[in-house]
Amino acid sequence: MAKQPNSIEQIKQVWSAAWPEAVAVWNPYVTLREPTWCLASRDAHLEGLTSSFAMIRLTDHRIVIDLESVRTNRVENCALQILAHEIGHHVLIPANRYDNIGVFRRMRLALAGIEDRVPFVANLYSDLIINDALQRIHRLDMASVYMKIQQGADISSSLYMWYMRTYEYLWGLGRGVLSGKKQSPQIDADASLAASLIRSYARSWLDGAGRFAMLAYPYLIEDSEYNKARKELAKYLDAEKSGEGSEVAGGMAEIDESILEGIVDPRAEALDDRIKADSGGDLAGEGEGKERTKPSSSDQKSLLGGTGPRQRYLEPGVYIDMMRQVDPTADDNKLIIRYYRDIAMPYLVPFPVEESLPLAELLPEGTEQWEPGDPVEELDWFETTVTSPVVVPGITTRRRVYTEDVDAPSKPQSYNLYVGIDCSGSMRNPRYNFSWPICAGTIVSLSALRAGAKVMGCLSGEPGSFLETDGFVKSEHDVLNVLTSYLGTGYAYGIPRLQTPHLDKVKRKTHLLIVSDDDIFSMLQATGPDGSLNYDIAERALLRAGGGGTFVLHSSSSWHSEGVKKLEKMGWAVHYVTKEEEMVEFARAFARQFYNKTGKRA
Amino acid sequence: MIIVPTISEMIHHIKRCPPEFLAPPLLRGRGEIHTESLVNDIFRMLSGNPAAPKRIELSTEKRSKAELSLIQICCWALSHPFFRQIDSGWLNDVFWSQLAAIAALVKPELWVTDEERSEELARMILKCCGYVPAGETPEEALDRFDSVNTVKRMKVIEETRAANERAQAIRRQMAEQRAREAANVYGRE
């Protein structure tokens, strides 16, 4: 028997020595840094480890061990098993931020109404998968670790009993060795199903997550039962906050129908399997008239309430809620930007370019600000260091500007884009409800940025307030941040905003895109602060910008036909976007509007 | 001295079942294996009398395909050397008849692929012939058999079906309520 380390320092030495062996249990080529050893629990608290004696972070691929708590829980001799378990969270489940959210997505569907319990259930599930792999495949004695921790444990919640009974099933332990002596036949049956599930989905554990949560569901409905179980199982919760502080993962706004197939109650499935086995018996009448208990995926989908293109996306509020569960510190702005970006990406269109005739001989004209995102080769280091010896990208960085020489061959140059978004009370808040116009605006803005254009965004609900980017910028975050914000003031986009001095200074042609609803016609008929009619302001802005203009309206084509004719006469294109077909048609028409004229593309 | 195998050894033996025993039973002109002949062959082997006349009548036409498949897997399980050491008197029509209930609950392939089902089958056969797996007390063996007993588990699931359906109904109501709330947000703005 291994010698018992006495002091915390000795425990640290023993555990540190066990680290390479623990890594080798999974794979000697796994490269993980040695854990953060906290000699006192208060140090562990500073690392965010509060209830258990170990935890993992997916953000920086770290493991934190509270050695004082290790001694309190009498597991100082179990370094190899516990370290291998924590490594298992990094290499097996959840392994990465993407799969971590994958587990959460599945469990949220199963735990409808009690989604706040998802991180807790996900932690229990991943522990079962890892521990069974270590015990069965890697031959580590995980059972003895649990026996030590469970020694004298007070088990009163049904969930705790069921969870520990599952381990007894998995590892062939005697009744009550881990789960106490109070099991009911129902806990026995559920634990047996859970053990089968853990074995069946050991490799494709993402697919088993929904089923596991469905099994746990009856034990979690009552708040008091859940709170009791949470308190009793606190020392095992080492991966609940593993996704905290991480970047927002993409592709999570979409509802994956294959996920819905896995939201099945294993109890109902067992009854269903019984019917299948029976009906496979070739005896007349067998299996007939028996009720199938497995819910269909369309049934599940109706509960989920998909929105957006092909109704394949989560509602923005549900998306934000889910992502905040993975990372409670996540910024709402970043989340909503990512949400609309994910939806817009498949619909990006070719953004217009103009044929310019510059650059046979490069005649230096002066300098202008170089911004992150501009080509690095355009950065003028001499002028930059003259501006300031301390280089701050986007602030002190300069680039040289050249005059054009008409003798040169032509060079395509993308238009700039001005996006004006109506943010009055009549528009939907894109943070709560999916908004087709905002989606259309996002598509055009991202298309423009991808083509190398600069974009200026202006959010306006007037009379009232407005919010705009600092001129034309190349930052996707700045543009989408304006697009997805909400003011809720006034009644329409303020047309006088088109008088912005930023539109005077631009050297490239600029396309104007106004996203609003039919209240914009009341705004167009009003007069601006200088007494001029807003229709005239819109016309002048269109001429000044030189790259055409588009109104995208959340409205009907039969309303305000006079106003539409007037706008079209000026040169504005008007599109109505209230559903998917219209949005796709708008994206097509937007691309056609420019490419047919130049004759380059059909 | 009779050497009783451990439960792990029996599970291992069952999981090594050759594909021939898993082939579809011959039933109403379809299938490959004549299950009744297989059963009588096993009986002759265990009784040590290869020339004995047919003793066990299976009446295969009255049995389901799943049951006949399980009987074939049992024949393989009984090929373990342990069963040659003991009297084969227990292996009568009663044994072959009691497989119908359990066969209706489990897909045949699971008996040899699922660890827990293999354990259940091993324990069931040992219990029928009156032996306790090596290294276990009769109480432990009984408790463990109860733990993996499909008939018992299905009975519990059936009994708690109403409660589970209630839980699922609550779950559904909560999901619907959440969907309604999401739809109403616009109205409240």
Side-chain angles (χ1 to χ4, degrees), chain A residues 182-245:
Chain A
K182 298 178 197 163
Q183 310 94 355
S184 63
Q186 189 181 354
I187 286 178
D188 259 13
D190 287 351
S192 168
L193 290 173
S196 286
L197 186 145
I198 295 296
R199 287 272 161 87
S200 304
Y201 292 92
R203 286 179 188 276
S204 53
W205 42 264
L206 261 178
D207 299 329
R211 284 179 168 82
F212 183 81
M214 290 288 262
L215 260 183
Y217 188 80
Y219 299 103
L220 294 161
I221 304 175
E222 297 292 335
D223 287 347
S224 57
E225 264 296 303
Y226 164 67
N227 291 331
K228 201 160 61 175
R230 202 184 153 73
K231 201 172 161 191
E232 289 177 337
L233 282 158
K235 52 182 170 285
Y236 293 108
L237 301 178
D238 57 345
E240 249 194 328
K241 300 173 189 166
S242 56
E244 207 167 281

Side-chain angles (χ1 to χ4, degrees), chain B residues 15-88:
Chain B
K15 291 184 96 170
R16 283 173 53 234
C17 180
E20 289 79 6
F21 285 82
L22 302 172
L26 191 61
L27 192 64
R28 286 184 283 280
R30 282 186 293 166
E32 295 174 24
I33 306 294
H34 198 289
T35 313
E36 192 174 72
S37 303
L38 186 64
V39 165
N40 281 289
D41 282 351
I42 282 290
F43 181 76
R44 288 185 192 104
M45 186 187 87
L46 295 182
S47 59
N49 186 0
K54 186 171 97 172
R55 156 111 181 252
I56 297 165
E57 291 282 349
L58 277 188
S59 310
T60 50
E61 67 284 354
K62 288 183 187 166
R63 296 176 193 259
S64 72
K65 197 173 161 187
E67 187 187 352
L68 292 175
S69 293
L70 175 58
I71 289 173
Q72 288 172 198
I73 294 166
C74 283
C75 288
W76 165 255
L78 293 170
S79 70
H80 189 280
F82 160 72
F83 296 100
R84 268 175 263 167
Q85 302 171 51
I86 62 172
D87 181 65
S88 59

Side-chain angles (χ1 to χ4, degrees), chain A residues 123-313:
Chain A
N123 198 155
L124 298 183
Y125 177 61
S126 55
D127 280 359
L128 275 167
I129 295 275
I130 293 170
N131 289 332
D132 192 45
L134 287 173
Q135 173 91 19
R136 202 161 46 91
I137 300 165
H138 301 287
R139 304 285 172 199
L140 279 190
D141 184 10
M142 299 305 290
S144 68
V145 180
Y146 274 76
M147 281 191 239
K148 275 187 183 174
I149 300 173
Q150 287 300 102
Q151 212 172 15
D154 181 24
I155 303 171
S156 59
S157 72
S158 307
L159 181 88
Y160 191 11
M161 238 176 272
W162 165 67
Y163 182 63
M164 287 299 159
R165 184 82 182 112
T166 303
Y167 278 120
E168 290 172 1
Y169 267 92
L170 282 170
W171 300 337
L173 302 175
R175 179 184 292 276
V177 170
L178 300 177
S179 63
K181 298 286 178 191
K182 298 178 197 163
Q183 310 94 355
S184 63
Q186 189 181 354
I187 286 178
D188 259 13
D190 287 351
S192 168
L193 290 173
S196 286
L197 186 145
I198 295 296
R199 287 272 161 87
S200 304
Y201 292 92
R203 286 179 188 276
S204 53
W205 42 264
L206 261 178
D207 299 329
R211 284 179 168 82
F212 183 81
M214 290 288 262
L215 260 183
Y217 188 80
Y219 299 103
L220 294 161
I221 304 175
E222 297 292 335
D223 287 347
S224 57
E225 264 296 303
Y226 164 67
N227 291 331
K228 201 160 61 175
R230 202 184 153 73
K231 201 172 161 191
E232 289 177 337
L233 282 158
K235 52 182 170 285
Y236 293 108
L237 301 178
D238 57 345
E240 249 194 328
K241 300 173 189 166
S242 56
E244 207 167 281
S246 54
E247 279 295 308
V248 183
M252 295 301 165
E254 190 171 356
I255 299 166
D256 183 348
E257 288 205 19
S258 67
I259 288 179
L260 302 177
E261 301 288 334
I263 313 303
V264 180
D265 184 356
R267 302 173 192 89
E269 202 170 34
L271 292 172
D272 201 37
D273 279 350
R274 175 194 61 179
I275 293 162
K276 278 182 199 158
D278 204 16
S279 62
D282 275 2
L283 281 183
E286 281 187 5
E288 281 177 16
K290 290 181 179 175
E291 190 193 347
R292 293 264 159 169
T293 44
K294 189 176 173 181
S296 68
S297 62
S298 58
D299 183 38
Q300 295 279 350
K301 196 176 174 185
S302 69
L303 293 179
L304 204 60
T307 188
R310 280 175 285 160
Q311 294 194 308
R312 286 193 62 160
Y313 295 89

Side-chain angles (χ1 to χ4, degrees), chain A residues 535-596:
Chain A
Y535 268 114
D536 298 334
I537 294 175
E539 187 169 18
R540 281 200 299 274
L542 193 63
L543 288 172
R544 203 160 41 131
T550 306
F551 274 92
V552 176
L553 302 180
H554 192 266
S555 175
S556 166
S557 57
S558 58
W559 302 343
H560 303 283
S561 54
E562 283 301 313
V564 171
K565 274 183 197 161
K566 206 167 172 180
L567 284 172
E568 285 176 343
K569 199 176 168 189
M570 291 175 196
W572 288 90
V574 181
H575 295 276
Y576 301 91
V577 174
T578 56
K579 53 187 177 184
E580 185 187 358
E581 300 77 47
E582 288 173 356
M583 189 189 74
V584 174
E585 182 49 40
F586 156 69
R588 280 201 195 118
F590 184 84
R592 253 199 323 263
Q593 183 182 350
F594 296 95
Y595 285 85
N596 274 353

Side-chain angles (χ1 to χ4, degrees), chain A residues 108-115 136 165 168-175 185-193 195-196 199-200 214 217-218 221 263 265-268 270-278 280-284 286 291 293 299-300 302-305 315 318 425-429 432-433 486, chain B residues 15 25 27-28 30 60-67 100-108 110 114-117 119 123 140 142-144 146-149 152-161 163-187 189:
Chain A
R108 280 179 66 89
L109 293 174
L111 301 180
I114 48 172
E115 290 91 346
R136 202 161 46 91
R165 184 82 182 112
E168 290 172 1
Y169 267 92
L170 282 170
W171 300 337
L173 302 175
R175 179 184 292 276
Q186 189 181 354
I187 286 178
D188 259 13
D190 287 351
S192 168
L193 290 173
S196 286
R199 287 272 161 87
S200 304
M214 290 288 262
Y217 188 80
I221 304 175
I263 313 303
D265 184 356
R267 302 173 192 89
L271 292 172
D272 201 37
D273 279 350
R274 175 194 61 179
I275 293 162
K276 278 182 199 158
D278 204 16
D282 275 2
L283 281 183
E286 281 187 5
E291 190 193 347
T293 44
D299 183 38
Q300 295 279 350
S302 69
L303 293 179
L304 204 60
E315 287 285 352
V318 175
S426 61
M427 294 294 281
R428 284 178 162 216
N429 185 340
Y432 297 129
N433 292 93
Y486 190 69
Chain B
K15 291 184 96 170
L27 192 64
R28 286 184 283 280
R30 282 186 293 166
T60 50
E61 67 284 354
K62 288 183 187 166
R63 296 176 193 259
S64 72
K65 197 173 161 187
E67 187 187 352
I102 183 77
L105 303 177
V106 182
K107 289 183 209 164
L110 289 179
D114 186 285
E115 181 100 3
E116 205 172 284
R117 297 290 71 75
E119 180 179 346
R123 288 188 183 280
E140 282 170 351
L142 191 63
D143 180 62
R144 188 64 198 168
D146 275 355
S147 301
V148 294
N149 192 329
K152 206 168 175 180
R153 186 173 64 253
M154 295 306 291
K155 192 164 165 258
V156 172
I157 293 173
E158 275 286 11
E159 283 167 2
T160 56
R161 188 179 192 166
N164 283 325
E165 281 172 357
R166 258 199 314 278
Q168 289 309 317
I170 293 171
R171 180 182 157 273
R172 194 180 168 83
Q173 278 167 10
M174 282 172 143
E176 283 168 351
Q177 189 183 343
R178 192 191 56 192
R180 269 199 306 276
E181 280 173 2
N184 286 340
V185 170
Y186 182 45
E189 282 170 19

